[in-house]
Amino acid sequence: MDFLGGRRLRRSRRTAWSRAMVRESLLTPSDLIWPLFVIDGHNEKTQIRTMPGVERLSVDLCVEAAKAARDAGIPALALFPNTPDHLRSTNGAEAYNPDNLMCRALSAIKSAVPGIGLIADVALDEYSSDGQDGLVRNGEILNDETVAVMIRSALVQSKAGADIIAPSDMMDGRVAAIRDALDGEGFEQTQIMAYAAKYASFYYGPFREAVGTGSRLVGDKRTYQMDYANSDEAMREIEQDIAEGADSVMVKPGLPYLDIVRRAKDSFNIPIYAYQVSGEYAMIEMAAAAGAIDRYGAILESLWAFKRAGASGVLTYYALEVARKLGA
Ligand code: PBG
C-alpha cells in the first residue's frame, strides 16, 4: 500500500493527547462576552419567546448576573435596555437621559462588580418610537443629526461607568465624533468597539423582541446596515472605523459572516470581535429542542469556529453557560 507515499494525516488524530497537541485554536472564558437585556423594576425577570433560555433582567438581577459572570471568568458584559414604552419618542431623547435604564444598570454593576468590563451599545433603536437606529425624517434615516444624539448618549453612558462604547448604528463618522467628545470630557481611557461591519440581517429578529423594537419597526435598515452580498465594502467600513479611532471592531452577525472575520483578521492589526446574534442562538436552541442536533456540541463547535476564523472574542448568549463548563 504505497499509494499514500507514507503521508497519513490521520496519524496525528488517533489519540486524544495527539489531537490536543496539534490543536490550533483555543476557547477560554476570556473569549466570551455576555449580552444582557435590562428591564425596569426590582427582582424582575421576563421570558423572551423567541430566545428560550434567555431572560430580560431588572438592574438588581443584572448585578447578580455580573457577579456570576465575573466568577466564571467572563471579561465583559454588553448591555441592552428594554426602554419602557412611555419613554420612547421620535427624537430618542431618553438615550441621553443620565438616569435612563442603561445608565442605572451601568452604575449599579460598576459599583458592585468593578472588575468586569462594561460595554454600552449606542444606537437610537432602543429609545426611539420608530425602532430605527437613527432619527427619521420623511422616511430618511438622518446621519449627522443622529451622530449628534449618539455623542450625548455615549457621554452619559461613560459617566455612568461604561468602559467600552459600542456604536451599533452604522451611521457614517460616528466613531470619530464619539472619540472627540469622549476626549473632550476627560474620557480618554474609554474604549470604542465599533460595530464596523454590521449587516442588514434577518438574524436579529429575536433581539428585537427582547428589546421591544420588533413590533414598531417600519421598513428595514438597509440604508445604513450593510448588504449581505458585500465583502470589500466591509473592509472599507473597518478601515474607516480604525482610522477614526476605534480600539476594536466587530463583525455581525457571526457564523454566516465568518469569511468577513477571517478577511478582517488577515487585513488589519486590531482585535476583531464577532457577535453570535439572537437568530443564531434561536436556531441552535430550536434545532436542539427538536432533537436534530446535540445542543452543547453544536454550541462549542459554533464558538470555536469564531476563534479558528481569527476572532479575539465572541459576543454570545451562551457566555455564562460555556464559561462555567470550560472552567469546570
Ligand atoms: C441595534 C442592535 C441590534 C442588535 C444589536 N444592536 C439589532 C438591529 O440592528 O436591529 C442585534 C443583536 C442580536 O440579534 O443578537 N442597535
Side-chain angles (χ1 to χ4, degrees):
M1 287 293 271
D2 65 354
F3 66 93
L4 289 167
R7 290 179 292 269
R8 293 182 182 274
L9 278 86
R10 289 181 53 191
R11 232 179 252 131
S12 59
R13 285 178 219 144
R14 268 185 74 236
T15 56
W17 65 261
S18 180
R19 288 193 295 273
M21 200 170 92
V22 302
R23 188 160 295 144
E24 297 175 32
S25 55
L26 290 176
L27 182 70
T28 69
S30 60
D31 296 318
L32 305 171
I33 296 169
W34 195 24
L36 292 182
F37 297 115
V38 193
I39 48 169
D40 237 347
H42 187 80
N43 195 21
E44 194 84 48
K45 36 169 114 162
T46 57
Q47 310 294 319
I48 303 157
R49 188 184 62 83
T50 53
M51 297 182 82
V54 176
E55 291 167 324
R56 306 178 192 89
L57 303 174
S58 54
V59 171
D60 55 313
L61 295 184
C62 286
V63 170
E64 296 311 309
K67 289 178 185 162
R70 174 203 56 201
D71 294 346
I74 289 174
L77 303 173
L79 303 185
F80 300 95
N82 182 316
T83 303
D85 280 350
H86 69 280
L87 296 173
R88 301 188 196 221
S89 61
T90 50
N91 62 16
E94 182 65 5
Y96 50 84
N97 171 2
D99 200 32
N100 68 21
L101 194 50
M102 175 70 119
C103 291
R104 280 183 279 130
L106 288 167
S107 63
I109 298 172
K110 185 55 38 184
S111 59
V113 197
I116 203 161
L118 294 180
I119 304 175
D121 192 79
V122 187
L124 296 191
D125 58 328
E126 287 134 34
Y127 311 96
S128 87
S129 41
D130 306 288
Q132 292 286 358
D133 293 12
L135 297 171
V136 188
R137 191 192 298 143
N138 300 329
E140 281 271 340
I141 311 301
L142 306 176
N143 193 88
D144 304 7
E145 293 85 341
T146 298
V147 172
V149 179
M150 292 181 58
I151 287 172
R152 299 178 69 178
S153 184
L155 285 174
V156 296
Q157 292 174 345
S158 301
K159 285 180 187 141
D163 301 291
I164 303 182
I165 296 297
S168 69
D169 58 296
M170 292 298 281
M171 297 300 124
D172 286 322
R174 87 278 205 226
V175 172
I178 291 172
R179 183 72 273 157
D180 192 54
L182 291 176
D183 291 352
E185 296 278 328
F187 294 106
E188 296 91 351
Q189 299 304 329
T190 304
Q191 298 183 33
I192 298 179
M193 177 189 283
Y195 283 70
K198 177 172 178 180
Y199 287 83
S201 173
F202 290 94
Y203 291 89
Y204 305 148
F207 173 97
R208 292 178 187 168
E209 184 202 343
V211 296
T213 58
S215 53
R216 52 184 84 239
L217 183 66
V218 178
D220 56 44
K221 301 192 176 184
R222 291 183 219 221
T223 67
Y224 46 105
Q225 298 179 351
M226 284 186 52
D227 181 343
Y228 56 61
N230 298 350
S231 166
D232 291 348
E233 190 187 352
M235 298 306 109
R236 195 152 170 237
E237 282 283 358
I238 292 169
E239 185 176 69
Q240 182 78 30
D241 284 356
I242 293 172
E244 290 185 25
D247 299 283
S248 57
V249 295
M250 199 197 298
V251 173
K252 180 179 173 200
L255 231 45
Y257 295 86
L258 274 189
D259 59 319
I260 307 298
V261 174
R262 168 47 68 186
R263 197 172 162 193
K265 177 67 182 170
D266 290 342
S267 307
F268 302 102
N269 296 313
I270 193 166
I272 293 152
Y273 294 89
Y275 198 144
Q276 180 179 52
V277 300
S278 56
E280 298 175 66
Y281 173 89
M283 289 201 307
I284 293 176
E285 287 304 305
M286 290 172 193
I293 58 174
D294 175 84
R295 180 179 174 279
Y296 193 63
I299 292 169
L300 272 193
E301 183 179 342
S302 68
L303 294 174
W304 228 290
F306 293 111
K307 293 301 303 293
R308 188 188 65 238
S312 292
V314 190
L315 287 90
T316 172
Y317 301 99
Y318 292 119
L320 183 63
E321 177 184 349
V322 173
R324 280 179 166 161
K325 288 184 177 155
L326 289 174

